Amino acid sequence: MRPDTPADHTTEAERLLRTAGRYPEDREPLLLRAAAHLELAGERERATSLYDDLLAAPSPAAPLLIRSLKAANLWEYGHEAEARTIIEGVRRARPEEPGPWEIVAETLEAHDEPAEAEATFTEAARLLVVPGDDVPFALQSLLSGRHRVRRAMGLPHDDFDALADRLHTGDVPLDELHDPKRLWALGSSDPAELQAEIARLRSELGSYRTALSRPFPVAVLHWPEHELDELLAAYPELEAEYPTYRAHLTDIEASLRELAQSGTPNLGIVPATVPSYEAFAASESSTPANPDLLPQYATTLAARGRAAAWPPGRTEACWCGSGRTYGECHGAE
């Protein structure tokens, strides 16, 4: 069950902190999730302390993401000047991932700085969107945020707005979702107007739920060939799941394509290892030979931040490790 109350969020944060102690290799993603729950619980000073702990580590994996989250949190409980200083530093650093840009821009937007928010979104789009390439989900979200801010400012559509429109898959078009006049409808006494607004909000809520699920993709296991050989040598009961390595690779791609065609968003692949799987089985008081553990193991790895997004871009390395591009390998039609 998802946490709903401040106490629930505090409990979940404490659970994540304990888990981080057990899995130090996954400390950063677990502490980031714990900090998010502390913010939702209203314990913003504790969340800031977690961000500071992460930044004080020898080599944080995503320092600009952590800084942007810290800035957003600081501004929410009265530390605007410090938040602005951090935001300026993040923008000067020109992150190569969309996450820090989007957090910074949305923080500015939330605090009535639409022009600065739009400038931040635009700078990120110019830096990160490569014409002709596939647009990953995180960049689609950034483009949608930029569209929202520009729509509120009454700015005319440009090429990035048109791209956001094309990528949007919801039933309600972005122009309608981001129409500033919708705010007026919330105060209407006309039942028809209110009903129409409820329909729009339901559609938008679906988009938000998709965005919130980004850190926890639906993931499938990929056993590298030497790991699969070791797994089947130790647990031949699993040969029915993995008859050959080639069949394993084919099944991964086919399963993910089927999930994508059914509308499942945010798909991912997690690399599996025999020692990790055996440790997981022990923690579940089960045997690794039990095939029912395999999807649970995949979900656990994904929740620990181990999943790589699928599909990769056609010119990026294939997920299977062949050394070829995805378009030349498993992404070939």
Side-chain angles (χ1 to χ4, degrees):
M1 191 170 96
R2 292 177 181 267
D4 289 322
T5 68
D8 291 335
H9 285 292
T10 299
T11 299
E12 180 64 11
E14 299 294 352
R15 186 189 70 80
L16 289 165
L17 291 171
R18 292 193 298 272
T19 304
R22 293 172 55 199
Y23 299 100
E25 71 276 17
D26 297 321
R27 179 174 180 269
E28 186 167 311
L30 289 168
L31 291 191
L32 285 176
R33 289 173 58 195
H37 282 289
L38 289 173
E39 289 188 33
L40 291 168
E43 299 184 47
R44 294 192 174 275
E45 292 185 5
R46 281 190 70 194
T48 295
S49 295
L50 280 187
Y51 295 134
D52 287 338
D53 288 347
L54 287 166
L55 291 169
S59 299
L64 294 177
L65 176 66
I66 299 167
R67 290 183 185 279
S68 61
L69 289 167
K70 178 182 174 181
N73 182 53
L74 284 169
W75 204 326
E76 289 297 327
Y77 72 108
H79 296 270
E80 178 182 341
E82 186 178 355
R84 285 184 181 276
T85 299
I86 295 172
I87 285 172
E88 290 169 7
V90 170
R91 292 178 67 179
R92 284 197 302 269
R94 294 173 63 79
E96 296 180 357
E97 297 293 330
W101 287 108
E102 187 168 9
I103 293 165
V104 163
E106 289 184 347
T107 300
L108 292 165
E109 178 190 6
H111 293 280
D112 298 321
E113 300 276 357
E116 284 300 306
E118 194 276 336
T120 303
F121 274 127
T122 299
E123 187 178 358
R126 289 173 177 165
L127 178 67
L128 301 177
V129 177
V130 179
D133 279 10
D134 294 334
V135 181
F137 181 84
L139 266 181
Q140 294 179 34
S141 179
L142 185 145
L143 289 171
S144 179
R146 181 181 181 275
H147 183 289
R148 179 184 61 248
V149 171
R150 289 173 59 82
R151 187 80 168 86
M153 295 173 69
L155 298 176
H157 271 31
D158 61 8
D159 290 344
F160 287 131
D161 291 323
L163 178 58
D165 285 331
R166 290 198 301 274
L167 294 170
H168 178 65
T169 58
D171 294 334
V172 180
L174 278 186
D175 273 354
E176 188 172 345
L177 283 176
H178 296 159
D179 185 353
K181 293 180 180 178
R182 290 178 56 206
L183 296 176
W184 304 345
L186 293 173
S188 173
S189 58
D190 184 337
E193 287 186 3
L194 288 172
Q195 190 63 40
E197 184 57 23
I198 288 170
R200 296 186 187 102
L201 289 172
R202 282 176 175 162
S203 175
E204 194 166 27
L205 179 60
S207 299
Y208 284 143
R209 283 175 174 163
T210 298
L212 287 170
S213 71
R214 274 177 286 161
F216 315 104
V218 175
V220 298
L221 290 173
H222 171 217
W223 295 91
E225 189 167 12
H226 66 282
E227 294 287 349
L228 186 61
D229 289 344
E230 182 180 341
L231 178 76
L232 296 180
Y235 309 104
E237 300 91 337
L238 296 177
E239 287 182 359
E241 302 291 324
Y242 307 112
T244 66
Y245 181 63
R246 183 178 293 275
H248 172 47
L249 298 184
T250 301
D251 186 58
I252 289 173
E253 184 70 23
S255 297
L256 288 167
R257 291 191 182 202
E258 184 177 347
L259 287 167
Q261 289 170 1
S262 70
T264 304
N266 311 323
L267 301 171
I269 297 176
V270 283
T273 67
V274 174
S276 168
Y277 179 55
E278 289 176 334
F280 173 76
S283 71
E284 295 293 315
S285 301
S286 183
T287 169
N290 179 5
D292 292 340
L293 278 184
L294 295 168
Q296 298 176 42
Y297 175 52
T299 300
T300 299
L301 291 179
R304 288 165 58 192
R306 294 302 186 86
W310 180 93
R314 295 189 62 79
T315 59
E316 295 177 6
C318 188
W319 54 263
C320 72
S322 65
R324 292 180 292 171
T325 65
Y326 178 64
E328 296 170 334
C329 193
H330 283 90
E333 296 296 337

